[in-house]
Amino acid sequence: MQPVRIVLAGNPNVGKSAVFSRLTGADVIAANYPGTTVEYARGSAVLRGESCEVLDVPGTYSLEGKSRAERVAGRMTRRADLVINVVDATNLERNLNLTLDLLRLDVPMVVALNMWDEAVKHGVDIDMELLEEKLGVPVVPTCALSGEGIKDLRDRMEDARPGRLHFADDERWNVIGEIVESVQTVQHRHPTPAEKLSYATVHPVWGPLMAVVILAAAFEFVRVLGEGLIGYVFAPLFTHLWLPVLTKLSTLLGGEGLLHDILIGKLIGGSIDFEQSFGLLSTGLFIPFAAVMPYIVAFYLALSLLEDIGYLPRLGVLVDNVMHRLGLHGLSIIPMMLGLGCNVPGALGTRVLETRKERFVASTLMAVCVPCMAQIAVIAGLLGEYGPLGFGIVFGTLFGLWVVLGMVLKHVIGGRAPEILVDIPPYRFPYWKSLVKKLWMRIRWFLAEAIPYVLLGVLLVNILYALGIIAALRNVFEPIMRPVFGLPSEAIGALVVGFLRKDVAVGMLAPLGLGLRQLIVASVVLAAYFPCMATFVVLFRELGLRDLAFAAAIMLVSAFLVGGLLNHLLLACGL
């Protein structure tokens, strides 16, 4: 016998994921902007003493959604044995449109009137008993972030029943208006400081200026916290605790040989160098834990704060005009920002975009022009001694490529980019327990995704060197590497490994003794030519074989052209 299937359905950004997490205890990422859930999440809860399957489906405004995520929501909801309709109490009229669709399914339902605390702050009062009477299903006020009302929701799930509201399609909005007018009263009040700030952050003049300040502050926060964690926590741990262990193991292995090279790596000046030795236990562990994870922690902390406060959808509105010039709309900025942390969630985040054109352009631009935080961290280590010059040229080039490539793809790829239609949530103070949980989930996911590929990349480097494959590839590509990119043939090893992990590939440049110009060119080429294998797998699933092959061709051509042009331009400038 199949377990009872409970589906959480609601508009985007109404707190479904938070309700799901409270009901099931499952780990899901909740954020204060639409489109956080792009796949359905699965968990379990107990109803009438029996275990039930609980599904959190993507947010949708109707059961006939246009985007892939909305179609998933409609399909899963129609298969439900019980529906929990999560409704934003501050936007009752808009949310009731989906509620009426759900009532027509003739499936037992309960309404979770979520964000009740925000409704009270905004002077919104809703007559629960009257709303329940009109809809014919239980209605429970909740605040999922703090957990208020969740116990009552569990209890009322046993009273779930099909609604008894009947109406014709041409009467829908009349019915919604009558319900709202009879059950809701709103007290007049003056705008709060948070509301005034909300207006300012989307103002055509003040909004962009505030965006520059906010994003600059966010990335400075990432830099300072990341460097601090490396300098005072992670690097000392490796130096004082792990290095003595590896030194003893190196001595036991005789200081050389195949096994020593695989586990410890090459000795640099007679000792282990965590950045250059390239052993599984040296560089293989140092890169993800000590060189990259501090920046990952800092970046995801900053991103989580911007998410939970509610700034990201406002940023989407601000950049909408610019994004339309690239064949996208403003909310495409969110997958780009996710991609700065890791390209995999960035690629998944493109699912919230409505059309094939938007998804293809956004995925390709992110894969070519948006390096993940792991790669950024290693590039910073390589170019740090040269100050901001090298770093600025690398990311200025990638930004310029992002703009130019986007404008080209807008005209090459058929289809349309619809206007941005997004609800702007109110600014909210982060719920710190939820924020810490989300941060831990993202760090844990990074480690689970990064470490296997880092170790595999380091192992592959040693195997390719041992088998002489890298030497053979040098001979093949030497006519291209130096004349076009100004790089020694030894850099081909980094390009090969970059398909597994970009951060490992960039780290392979360190022992080559490259100058500033060469480091800049190599960093840009590695960023542009292919995403890592994990992102490639996700793009295959999201785009399909034909579109992925086209995107891959764009990546190769872009990397070749930009790398060659940049090399000769820097030479002309005397670098």
Side-chain angles (χ1 to χ4, degrees), residues 112 141 149 158 204 441 519:
E158 298 188 4
M441 287 168 55
L519 287 173

Side-chain angles (χ1 to χ4, degrees), residues 177-495:
E178 188 275 326
I179 292 174
V180 172
E181 185 176 352
S182 61
V183 305
Q184 177 179 277
T185 58
V186 180
Q187 297 179 359
H188 175 72
R189 60 184 182 80
H190 296 290
T192 65
E195 289 170 333
K196 292 179 180 179
L197 179 61
S198 177
Y199 303 147
T201 48
V202 293
H203 189 275
V205 176
W206 298 113
L209 295 176
M210 295 177 71
V212 170
V213 173
I214 290 170
L215 294 179
F219 282 101
E220 181 65 9
F221 170 83
V222 171
R223 183 189 69 81
V224 172
L225 181 57
E227 291 178 356
L229 289 173
I230 290 174
Y232 295 102
V233 180
F234 291 96
L237 285 175
F238 269 80
T239 301
H240 299 303
L241 298 180
W242 190 232
L243 182 58
V245 175
L246 291 188
T247 302
K248 290 182 180 179
L249 180 58
S250 175
T251 302
L252 289 174
L253 295 174
E256 59 182 359
L258 180 60
L259 182 60
H260 182 278
D261 289 349
I262 291 175
L263 295 179
I264 308 298
K266 299 289 186 182
L267 298 181
I268 309 297
S271 61
I272 298 169
D273 187 312
F274 282 121
E275 295 181 355
Q276 300 184 48
S277 290
F278 265 85
L280 290 176
L281 301 180
S282 56
T283 305
L285 295 180
F286 182 84
I287 286 180
F289 282 106
V292 173
M293 193 169 72
Y295 289 103
I296 290 289
V297 172
F299 175 80
Y300 278 133
L301 178 56
L303 179 66
S304 297
L305 286 169
L306 293 177
E307 283 178 333
D308 289 3
I309 289 170
Y311 182 69
L312 291 188
R314 291 167 172 82
L315 181 62
V317 171
L318 284 174
V319 301
D320 186 53
N321 286 336
V322 174
M323 300 300 279
H324 265 285
R325 297 180 185 274
L326 311 182
L328 301 168
H329 70 53
L331 283 188
S332 303
I333 197 67
I334 292 177
M336 302 296 169
M337 294 193 68
L338 291 173
L340 284 171
C342 176
N343 279 184
V344 172
L348 289 172
T350 61
R351 286 188 178 185
V352 302
L353 303 177
E354 294 182 22
T355 65
R356 169 192 170 269
K357 175 176 183 174
E358 289 179 294
R359 291 190 293 272
F360 180 87
V361 174
S363 298
T364 304
L365 289 180
M366 187 205 64
V368 174
C369 309
V370 181
C372 67
M373 188 53 59
Q375 189 178 353
I376 293 172
V378 180
I379 291 175
L382 287 174
L383 296 173
E385 63 180 287
Y386 298 101
L389 176 62
F391 208 66
I393 295 175
V394 168
F395 289 95
T397 301
L398 291 175
F399 178 75
L401 177 59
W402 183 76
V403 173
V404 172
L405 184 58
M407 295 176 69
V408 171
L409 292 178
K410 175 186 177 181
H411 297 288
V412 171
I413 307 300
R416 66 185 185 90
E419 297 301 319
I420 185 171
L421 294 173
V422 59
D423 295 306
I424 302 296
Y427 277 129
R428 300 174 186 140
F429 283 107
Y431 185 65
W432 296 106
K433 184 177 179 181
S434 174
L435 187 145
V436 170
K437 179 180 178 181
K438 177 165 58 176
L439 178 62
W440 164 240
M441 287 168 55
R442 283 172 161 162
I443 294 170
R444 187 178 64 189
W445 185 90
F446 161 75
L447 292 175
E449 187 273 335
I451 290 177
Y453 283 109
V454 169
L455 295 177
L456 183 59
V458 171
L459 179 61
L460 180 63
V461 170
N462 289 307
I463 292 174
L464 292 178
Y465 273 110
L467 296 177
I469 295 176
I470 294 293
L473 289 173
R474 287 178 192 164
N475 296 331
V476 172
F477 287 97
E478 184 155 7
I480 297 175
M481 297 297 288
R482 193 170 293 278
V484 176
F485 301 129
L487 298 174
S489 58
E490 290 82 359
I492 191 63
L495 291 174

